[in-house]
Amino acid sequence: EPDVTIVSGLKDMVVSEGDDVTFRCQVSHENARDVEWKLQDVALQNNEMNEISVEKGKIHTLTLRKVTEQDIGTITFRVGAHTSTA
């Protein structure tokens, strides 16, 4: 199985409280497994506050809905041994 790498990493974002924010990370291969999103070292799940999806097979997205001050921190995207932070 080919090693999946990060082609385009996360970008730092500044948003106002109550807004939604979307992070995108492009990987080298479609159907990447062993993918994880974290906020401040806490693994994120797909739920009403966090929307995790994949566009066009290679672009992994995380949308945080109606952010609050508690959402300030480092977002980490990991695929296999590769990570990107913002």
Side-chain angles (χ1 to χ4, degrees), residues 19-23 36-40 42-54 61-68 70-72 74-76:
D19 287 351
D20 295 350
V21 60
T22 300
F23 295 91
E36 183 177 51
W37 287 97
K38 287 184 175 182
L39 171 58
Q40 295 292 64
V42 176
L44 298 175
Q45 305 298 321
N46 198 16
N47 58 35
E48 67 277 354
M49 297 306 292
N50 313 315
E51 182 183 328
I52 297 171
S53 62
V54 181
T61 64
L62 166 67
T63 300
L64 302 178
R65 304 250 180 249
K66 297 183 175 64
V67 296
T68 67
Q70 284 73 42
D71 295 318
I72 291 172
T74 302
I75 292 284
T76 304

Side-chain angles (χ1 to χ4, degrees), residues 8-41:
S8 175
L10 299 176
K11 308 262 188 297
D12 290 342
M13 306 290 272
V14 177
V15 293
S16 298
E17 196 166 16
D19 287 351
D20 295 350
V21 60
T22 300
F23 295 91
R24 287 183 177 78
C25 203
Q26 183 175 347
V27 298
S28 58
H29 296 77
E30 290 187 9
N31 305 318
R33 285 176 286 189
D34 195 21
V35 169
E36 183 177 51
W37 287 97
K38 287 184 175 182
L39 171 58
Q40 295 292 64
D41 287 332

